[in-house]
Amino acid sequence: MYQKHCDQCHRSSFSSSELGGWLCPVCGKDLTKYPFFDAMTLERIHIKAIPYHKKIEKYTFKHIR
């Protein structure tokens, strides 16, 4: 479980995925580029950012004949 802290409303937000956008559920601020923290230990988690669309491209077939 991942956690991010919103600096606008000062609330925590939780997610089980590191992919895709991340909006604060309270105020709607975009938290996508904010650092991830482990929800249990509050230690910062360093995740290698892979754009979502590039990851999906690996698993799709462009031309099927």
Side-chain angles (χ1 to χ4, degrees):
M1 178 72 66
Y2 301 110
Q3 177 181 359
K4 290 188 179 190
H5 186 76
C6 180
D7 60 358
Q8 182 170 309
C9 68
H10 306 288
R11 301 292 300 261
S12 294
S13 176
F14 300 89
S15 178
S16 61
S17 176
E18 70 275 4
L19 298 177
W22 191 319
L23 299 177
C24 176
V26 177
C27 68
K29 182 172 181 170
D30 186 5
L31 304 176
T32 304
K33 296 188 187 238
Y34 282 52
F36 288 92
F37 293 91
D38 183 293
M40 297 296 288
T41 64
L42 299 180
E43 292 180 18
R44 185 167 179 177
I45 299 172
H46 299 282
I47 297 175
K48 182 180 177 184
I50 300 172
Y52 183 68
H53 60 87
K54 285 189 177 182
K55 194 166 190 173
I56 294 297
E57 261 180 26
K58 287 174 58 177
Y59 299 104
T60 59
F61 297 101
K62 291 186 178 186
H63 301 288
I64 300 175
R65 293 181 187 218

